[in-house]
Structure formats: structure tokens, C-alpha cells
Amino acid sequence: MKTIDELLADGVDGKRVFVRADLNVPLADGLITDDGRIRAVLPTVKALADAGAKVVVASHLGRPKGAPDPAFSLLPAAERLGELLGAPVAFAQDTVGPAAHAAVDGLEPGQVAVIENLRFNAGETSKDDAERGEFADQLAALADVYVGDGFGAVHRKHASVFDLPARLPHAAGYLIANEVAVLKKLTEEVQRPYVVALGGAKVSDKLAVIDQLLGKADRLLIGGGMAYTFLKAKGYEIGKSLLQEDQIPAVLEYIERAEKTGVELVLPVDVLVGPEFPDLKTKAPANPTAVAADAVPADQMGLDIGPESRKLYASKITDAATVFWNGPMGVFEHPDFAEGTKAVAQALLDSPAFTVVGGGDSAAAVRLLGFDENAFGHISTGGGASLEYLEGKTLPGLAALED
């Protein structure tokens, strides 16, 4: 995989460099609520601009249905990128049309333009190779060189991620190079004890990675909504808690495998419950109650790990050499159910281990709950991509950069 440093050594002065970034930031009423992904691509964009490239930044945002939708415009992200760069950033109101060509043609060496949301064109996400290829051809007309730096999208076989690199000289940006180096530390160069904390809503989202980790991790800590399927599989009463009943056979198999292989599988010993899912808009007090993990009342639902579980999980992280955390322990967006996620994050900070926060809601929680991002070993920008890498899958966007 050619690196951006090699590309810069070859010279990019005056060249149009297409940077496939991940500017898929959360928006509320048109305002960015977390600019972490924009800041993550800054080193690559700045290095190229400083070297005299004409930088064309492209990304998706949300899931528009292959047509322009103002709710998913990249304009707020382009404006924020300009603020962070401290320089004007041109914005094209289409992807490959007249506005995009005009914006790119108007660039001087060292300047940056952002084109509109790639998913406004159906060719970006098409499963038809020809349709995707046609869109990739149109994107290629905007550039001389391709730099892949949207790690959060490398697990997608999309035109700008998979097809476009085949049409241009290409290299990996700083973000992707760093993400891959970190993931190798979790798969090929693991320092032990290796502890993995998994949370989030659905156990089905994590089955494949649990399958892989049962042969690699020393301890698996399970929290979040997915924990209740594990607790139900053990015969516990879980009340109205989130349950994927169809996943119980798979969960039972993993519990048995963990026992046979000596992997310590840690489940909550107590949970915080409430009568209903909390109001995340008003953040009205939910008055949670701590109950034993095997005794959730029938009219209550588990919404966070409890105080004893917090202590237990922290103790299981204390002596680790490597920790990977993906998924919150509860409904962290509400203050009454944020303590479990806080406890895991703090345990990572207190540990001398190499710590990796696996993107997605975990990264959002770190920022929302006020933790210093720089205190963690690494915060990934791609939760889904990280998990698929750990599952052992070939990621199309990485494969496209390797030649």
C-alpha cells in the first residue's frame, strides 16, 4: 500500500488530488454536533495543500436515496473544514456536474474544494458494477491522483472507495495508514492480557467479531443492550429489556466455547432499570433502580450496567496490556444511564494498556461525556470498518489501495 509520504515525495504540486474522506458527521438542525471525523482528515488535507496540490475532498453523509436531499448536504462539513484549516474551502453543489468541475477548475495550488454528498448519485452505492464504474469514471475526470482516507467507509464496495482507485494513481492517507497500523496491533501483534469490551444495542451486530475474538482475546466484557440476550440465554429474568431471541442459540454456543477455550466471558452482575426508554430530548429524570442481573422486574427494562458491574468491569481492565472497546454499556446519551459507559472509558484511561476506542457510538460517548480524546491510545473513526477488520474480512477500500 503506497503511503501519502511516498506520494508527496514524488511531488503533487499543481496536481488535482482527490481525497476520499469520511465527513459523515452527526447533524442537529443543520449544525454539526461532533466534528471528530473532520478533524481526523486534517493532517492529510493540510499536507497535500502545503505541498501545492489542488485538493478535492469528497465524502458521503447519511443515507440519501441516490438523489440530492438538502438534509444531507455536505455544506456544513465543508464550512467546518475551512474553519479548521484556517483557509477558504470552495464548495460545489453537485458531485460530478458543472458546479463540481467549476470548483475544481478554479483551484490554485494549495487550495481545497469539497464536492457535494457522493450518495446524491445512485452510482456511488450501486450493486451494479457497470453503474458504479460509470460514476467512478465521472469522479476520475476531476482528479489526477487518488488518496483514500475515509476509513469509516472502507468496508463498503462503493464507487469512490473501491472503483475509483483503480482509475488513478493512488495512495493511503495518514488516517487510513494509522488505523491499519492500530488494527494490526489488535490482530497480529497483540500484547497480553488482551481485553475486549463490547456493548451496543444488538448482539447480532457483534456475532462475527465475537466468533473471531473467542480465539484471540483473553477476556470479553459484554454490556449494552446486547448483554440482555446473553443474560436471557443463561435463564435470567430480563423483564422488558432488549432481546434478540433468535440469537440465543448462537449466544449459548459462544458461552460454551468461551468456557472450553479459557476465554473469560464477563456479563453484568447488576443493571440499572427503568419502566421505559428515557427521553433523550428533554433528558427528564428517569429515576433508575439498580437490580441484580438475574432479577429484572417484568415491568422494567435494563438500560445500563449497575454499580457492581462497573467495579467488576474496571477490575478486569486494570491489568490489561491491550484493550479494545466498541459499543456503550448503556443509554449514555441520558445522564441517568451514562455511568456504565463512563466507568469503562475511565478504566481505559487508568490502565497502562494500549487502548483502542472502536469508533461509532463509543467515540461519540468519549466526546459527549467530556473525556480527553488524546488520553486514549487510539480512537477509531470507523466502528463498522474496525469490527469487520477484526472479523478477518477483506475490506474493499483497503484492497483497492493495495497493488
Side-chain angles (χ1 to χ4, degrees):
M1 188 182 292
K2 186 174 184 178
T3 67
I4 188 173
D5 285 330
E6 293 174 87
L7 182 66
L8 293 170
D10 292 341
V12 294
D13 189 21
K15 291 184 178 179
R16 301 171 301 165
V17 180
F18 187 104
V19 177
R20 198 342 177 153
D22 179 8
L23 308 181
N24 185 28
V25 292
L27 297 171
D29 299 321
L31 299 176
I32 297 170
T33 58
D34 182 352
D35 67 357
R37 284 176 170 163
I38 302 174
R39 287 184 284 110
V41 79
L42 278 178
T44 291
V45 173
K46 194 170 187 311
L48 290 166
D50 289 347
K54 300 175 180 181
V55 186
V56 183
V57 180
S59 176
H60 69 286
L61 192 152
R63 295 186 178 181
K65 301 185 183 301
D69 182 338
F72 297 105
S73 175
L74 275 176
L75 179 58
E79 292 174 340
R80 182 59 180 150
L81 178 61
E83 291 172 0
L84 293 169
L85 287 171
V89 168
F91 180 70
Q93 294 182 327
D94 59 30
T95 55
V96 291
H101 282 274
V104 174
D105 291 344
L107 291 175
E108 296 293 331
Q111 293 184 338
V112 179
V114 174
I115 63 174
E116 186 55 285
N117 193 334
L118 292 163
R119 291 185 183 174
F120 285 1
N121 189 303
E124 168 68 359
T125 59
S126 176
K127 290 183 168 53
D128 181 85
D129 291 348
E131 185 179 9
R132 229 177 36 249
E134 182 180 350
F135 184 49
D137 288 338
Q138 293 174 304
L139 292 172
L142 297 172
D144 306 304
V145 180
Y146 176 93
V147 171
D149 216 29
F151 181 74
V154 294
H155 58 315
R156 307 296 187 193
K157 192 176 181 181
H158 291 169
S160 66
V161 176
F162 179 74
D163 303 271
L164 184 54
R167 288 157 168 77
L168 295 169
H170 50 264
Y174 290 123
L175 174 60
I176 278 186
N178 188 39
E179 293 271 14
V180 171
V182 166
L183 288 168
K184 285 185 176 178
K185 289 185 178 181
L186 298 178
T187 53
E188 301 172 18
E189 307 154 11
V190 181
Q191 298 295 311
R192 298 185 180 280
Y194 178 20
V195 177
V196 177
L198 295 176
K202 296 181 178 179
V203 69
S204 57
D205 292 342
K206 305 280 168 58
L207 283 180
V209 76
I210 292 172
D211 184 61
Q212 286 291 317
L213 290 169
L214 281 173
K216 294 172 182 170
D218 298 299
R219 292 180 200 135
L220 282 178
L221 317 181
I222 305 294
M226 62 184 285
Y228 300 99
T229 301
F230 277 84
L231 296 173
K232 185 69 173 179
K234 290 176 71 70
Y236 293 178
E237 174 56 58
I238 64 166
K240 298 193 300 182
S241 305
L242 185 64
L243 171 65
Q244 286 188 285
E245 198 158 3
D246 62 323
Q247 302 298 329
I248 287 179
V251 165
L252 281 170
E253 181 194 339
Y254 290 157
I255 292 172
E256 292 171 7
R257 274 178 56 194
E259 292 175 359
K260 289 178 182 176
T261 57
V263 175
E264 189 177 0
L265 183 64
V266 184
L267 298 175
V269 293
D270 64 345
V271 296
L272 291 186
V273 300
E276 59 189 7
F277 197 84
D279 189 326
L280 299 184
K281 286 188 177 180
T282 65
K283 307 288 174 73
N287 302 315
T289 305
V291 300
D294 62 352
V296 177
D299 63 345
Q300 301 282 303
M301 63 172 60
L303 296 162
D304 194 13
I305 59 173
E308 294 306 314
S309 299
R310 297 198 293 265
K311 294 176 189 174
L312 173 65
Y313 285 28
S315 73
K316 298 297 183 181
I317 291 170
T318 300
D319 66 343
T322 304
V323 184
F324 175 71
W325 168 38
N326 180 279
M329 297 292 108
V331 187
F332 71 92
E333 300 93 337
H334 193 287
D336 286 346
F337 302 107
E339 293 303 317
T341 301
K342 278 185 186 177
V344 168
Q346 188 62 53
L348 264 67
L349 291 183
D350 294 341
S351 169
F354 174 64
T355 56
V356 179
V357 180
D361 284 341
S362 310
V366 163
R367 290 186 272 269
L368 180 68
L369 299 176
F371 289 96
D372 178 5
E373 296 175 60
N374 297 319
F376 296 89
H378 179 72
I379 297 181
S380 178
T381 57
S386 295
L387 288 177
E388 290 200 14
Y389 190 102
L390 293 180
E391 288 167 21
K393 290 183 178 179
T394 296
L395 307 189
L398 296 185
L401 295 173
E402 294 172 351
D403 62 12

